[in-house]
Each structure stands twice: as structure tokens, then as C-alpha cells.
């Protein structure tokens, strides 16, 4: 089995993790009361929120990033210069988002440097999003221009659709009810699955 096919499977798994990380913890039961003492070894929705979701979020970002890196590695020689540079920008942004996710997930409670870590992570995350958003959009448009419509659509749509959903929700002062972040995460999950599928069927 080629390395690109392995990366395709990894990317698909990343898409599954994206959706899993966005499932609201309250779906697993009522949240504990204020008097509850958190025990990381005890199953509860709070344990899922503080322990499981950060780990799954980290896996989602890193696995999806691995798929994008493999996609760039496979196609870079056939890409136009502008297309290649936007792909590089997207990868740098995605890497910063991945580092941010790892930093936030590893931030321990009660750590005196925790606040500085969070602020640093948020700054890096914002820079990463500013780079990854336009980069992925242009990367997808490049594939659309060369006739690779499914791949181009998932790359561009994985960025454009969540932005439209968030902007619409803010403009209408609405939310997604009990769905949490699932509506926003689905296009990102489709991006990861679409990249994985393309890597699998076009291994060389």
C-alpha cells in the first residue's frame, strides 16, 4: 500500500474525529452541579469535556493536517506557481492551528503560566486561521480550475461554508440549538474525508 493511500486513510479518520470533537458533552448526560468535585478518573460529561474532547480535537487537527501535507506532496509538481504558494500558505496556517490545539489541550488547570499559554495559543490560532482560510480557498479554486471539481469543492467549501454559517448566526443573533458545533464542523469533516478519498483513489 502506498504512502499516499495510508495518508488518505489517516485523513478520513481525521474527518471522523472532527465531528466527534464537536459533539456537545451534554449529549452524554446532565452536567454536574456546582458542588461537584472534578475527578479525571470518573466518567461524566465534564470528564468528556475536559479530557476526551481536547484529545480528540488534537487528533482531528493533526490527522487532517497529515492528509493535506500528503495531498501537497503528491500534486506539487503539477500545480501552477500561484496554486502551489497558496497551498503552502494553507499548510502553514493549518500547522499553526494544529500547534494551537495541542497547546490548549495540554494546558493544565492551576498552572500559573496557563493564562499566558492560552493568550499565546489564541494569537497563534488567529494567525493560523487568517493564513489557512484564504490558502485553502485558493487551493480549492485551483483544483476547480483544472477540472478536479470534487476535491476543489471540499477544499474551498470546507472554509467558505463554516464562515458563512458563523457570520449568519452572528448576524441573526441565532445559534444551532442543541447541535453545538456540529453544523460548522461538518464541512471541515467533509474536507478531510474528501482529501482522504482523493489520496486513496489517486495514490500516484
Amino acid at each position: 500500500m502506498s504512502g499516499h493511500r495510508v495518508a488518505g486513510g489517516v485523513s478520513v479518520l481525521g474527518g471522523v474525529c472532527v465531528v466527534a470533537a464537536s459533539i456537545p458533552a451534554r449529549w452524554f448526560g446532565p452536567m454536574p452541579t456546582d458542588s461537584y468535585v472534578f475527578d479525571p478518573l470518573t466518567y461524566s460529561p465534564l470528564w468528556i469535556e475536559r479530557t476526551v474532547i481536547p484529545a480528540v480535537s488534537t487528533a482531528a487537527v493533526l490527522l487532517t493536517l497529515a492528509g493535506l501535507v500528503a495531498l501537497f506532496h503528491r500534486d506539487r509538481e503539477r500545480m501552477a506557481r500561484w496554486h502551489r504558494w497558496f497551498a503552502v500558505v494553507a499548510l502553514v496556517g493549518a500547522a499553526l492551528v494544529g500547534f494551537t490545539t495541542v497547546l490548549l489541550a495540554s494546558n493544565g488547570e492551576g498552572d500559573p503560566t496557563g493564562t499566558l499559554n492560552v493568550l499565546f495559543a489564541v494569537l497563534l490560532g488567529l494567525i493560523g486561521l487568517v493564513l489557512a482560510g484564504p490558502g485553502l480557498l485558493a487551493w480549492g479554486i485551483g483544483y476547480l480550475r483544472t477540472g478536479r471539481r470534487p476535491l476543489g469543492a471540499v477544499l474551498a467549501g470546507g472554509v467558505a461554508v463554516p464562515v458563512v454559517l458563523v457570520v449568519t448566526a452572528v448576524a441573526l443573533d441565532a445559534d444551532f440549538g442543541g447541535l453545538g458545533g456540529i453544523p460548522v464542523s461538518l464541512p471541515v469533516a467533509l474536507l478531510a474525508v474528501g482529501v482522504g478519498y482523493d489520496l486513496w483513489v489517486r495514490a500516484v
Side-chain angles (χ1 to χ4, degrees), residues 3-19 59-71 151 154-155 188-200:
H4 290 141
R5 283 196 167 184
V6 173
V10 165
S11 186
V12 170
L13 181 59
V16 174
C17 289
V18 168
V19 176
V61 174
L62 296 181
L63 294 174
T64 302
L65 177 60
L68 291 172
V69 170
L71 180 67
L151 180 58
V154 295
L155 283 172
V188 181
L190 287 175
L191 181 156
V193 172
V195 168
Y197 176 78
D198 195 83
L199 286 168
W200 184 269

Side-chain angles (χ1 to χ4, degrees), residues 6-187:
V6 173
V10 165
S11 186
V12 170
L13 181 59
V16 174
C17 289
V18 168
V19 176
S22 64
I23 296 175
R26 60 180 176 275
W27 282 20
F28 300 95
M31 294 298 285
T33 63
D34 293 339
S35 60
Y36 174 81
V37 177
F38 176 66
D39 182 356
L41 300 179
T42 303
Y43 170 83
S44 74
L46 190 60
W47 174 76
I48 292 175
E49 183 176 72
R50 294 187 179 181
T51 305
V52 176
I53 290 180
V56 176
S57 298
T58 300
V61 174
L62 296 181
L63 294 174
T64 302
L65 177 60
L68 291 172
V69 170
L71 180 67
F72 177 76
H73 178 268
R74 187 196 65 184
D75 293 346
R76 68 188 187 282
E77 298 297 334
R78 298 186 290 269
M79 298 165 73
R81 180 177 296 179
W82 71 269
H83 195 193
R84 187 162 54 245
W85 276 110
F86 272 111
V88 170
V89 170
L91 290 176
V92 171
L96 287 176
V97 172
F99 181 73
T100 296
T101 306
V102 173
L103 194 59
L104 290 175
S106 62
N107 185 50
E109 300 228 354
D111 183 355
T113 62
T115 302
L116 289 177
N117 287 341
V118 169
L119 291 175
F120 179 64
V122 169
L123 177 61
L124 281 182
L126 289 174
I127 295 173
L129 290 174
V130 168
L131 294 175
L136 285 170
L137 186 62
W139 195 355
I141 291 173
Y143 281 122
L144 290 172
R145 287 166 56 93
T146 57
R148 304 275 294 281
R149 292 195 175 116
L151 180 58
V154 295
L155 283 172
V159 174
V161 175
V163 170
V164 170
L165 289 174
V166 171
V167 170
T168 302
V170 171
L172 298 178
D173 193 21
D175 56 32
F176 300 112
L179 294 177
I182 292 179
V184 174
S185 72
L186 279 177

